[in-house]
Amino acid sequence: MADLVIPNGYLQNALGHLVPVAQIREQDLLRDEVVRTLAHDAKLLSEALREFKERAMRDVEDLVTVAAEKYGAKVGGDKGNLSLVSFDGKYKVQRSMAAVITFTEELQAAKALIEACIEAWSDGADNRLKTLVMRAFKPNTKGELNTKAVLGLLRLEMKGFDGEVDVEWAAAMEALRDSIQTSGTTAYVNVYERVGVSDKYRHIALDLAAVG
């Protein structure tokens, strides 16, 4: 379907209706101009970041290939984490490969077992611990679980009065482990600049939230 051609002197509103510019409030026109300008610039920056990431990954991989060819080695399989430093030590580039973790339907079984444990401990369990444990299963606004929080439960050792690991908790953790599924890897490129002549490096922010 072809885009609607908007005639001169009109703007299209959110419902798809054409509205004469003369009938639109000045404040609405000003807001429209600001939002459109920022959105346009944001799209350009997003595309530039995408191109930078592709080039950075390609350049790093080319460097690895050159090094491998020098020693007659063949590099294959998963790309690993690398840390590259400029000759003068001023800049550092890190390539990181992180596993993409998802959970199968067995996570629901793990959650039910954990809830049963907390219910059984209700008389003596610390309310803060209950909140910490169950918060791991609370999805964010996008309906996604906090993977780090869920995996963090595996580090908790719940022991009974006899000092042994609680049997029900152990079963819950087994179900949790069985629910973990690796669905691929995500590549990250981070660039750092050395702070003065120290051994510390400052991250060069490439995301809006981190820019001061």
Side-chain angles (χ1 to χ4, degrees):
M1 183 177 179
D3 292 337
L4 175 66
V5 177
I6 301 176
N8 291 332
Y10 286 83
L11 287 180
Q12 186 179 27
N13 66 13
L15 298 177
H17 303 150
L18 292 177
V19 181
V21 172
Q23 296 180 10
I24 302 175
R25 295 188 315 149
E26 182 178 350
Q27 184 67 26
D28 292 340
L29 291 173
L30 180 60
R31 183 188 311 111
D32 180 75
E33 180 181 0
V34 169
V35 172
R36 286 180 181 277
T37 300
L38 290 175
H40 174 267
D41 293 347
K43 289 172 68 175
L44 293 178
L45 286 171
S46 178
E47 178 63 19
L49 283 173
R50 184 190 65 78
E51 292 178 353
F52 169 76
K53 181 179 179 181
E54 289 182 354
R55 178 166 59 85
M57 295 296 292
R58 186 170 59 248
D59 288 351
V60 170
E61 190 58 29
D62 287 345
L63 190 63
V64 172
T65 300
V66 170
E69 291 176 347
K70 178 181 178 181
Y71 297 101
K74 292 184 178 179
V75 180
D78 294 335
K79 298 178 175 64
N81 298 338
L82 291 174
S83 183
L84 312 172
V85 181
S86 63
F87 188 73
D88 62 1
K90 185 175 182 180
Y91 298 105
K92 179 169 62 176
V93 174
Q94 289 185 337
R95 182 187 73 182
S96 304
M97 309 297 292
V100 178
I101 303 295
T102 57
F103 299 97
T104 68
E105 71 283 354
E106 291 159 313
L107 182 65
Q108 295 304 313
K111 181 182 178 183
L113 290 170
I114 290 173
E115 288 178 332
C117 286
I118 292 179
E119 183 65 27
W121 304 334
S122 59
D123 290 337
D126 190 321
N127 287 327
R128 291 172 296 180
L129 177 60
K130 296 179 189 177
T131 301
L132 173 66
V133 171
M134 298 316 299
R135 184 182 296 166
F137 293 99
K138 185 177 181 180
N140 60 20
T141 55
K142 296 180 181 179
E144 301 168 340
L145 290 176
N146 184 330
T147 302
K148 184 177 181 180
V150 174
L151 296 179
L153 296 176
L154 294 172
R155 295 196 296 269
L156 298 178
E157 290 189 5
M158 301 301 185
K159 297 182 179 180
F161 294 110
D162 57 359
E164 298 296 326
V165 176
D166 186 275
V167 176
E168 286 75 14
W169 181 261
M173 293 303 98
E174 181 179 0
L176 178 54
R177 289 189 185 89
D178 289 343
S179 75
I180 299 172
Q181 181 173 277
T182 303
S183 58
T185 57
T186 299
Y188 298 92
V189 176
N190 289 291
V191 184
Y192 302 85
E193 182 175 16
R194 191 169 67 178
V195 180
V197 293
S198 70
D199 59 352
K200 296 181 180 180
Y201 283 82
R202 180 188 301 111
H203 184 236
I204 298 176
L206 297 176
D207 65 278
L208 289 176
V211 176

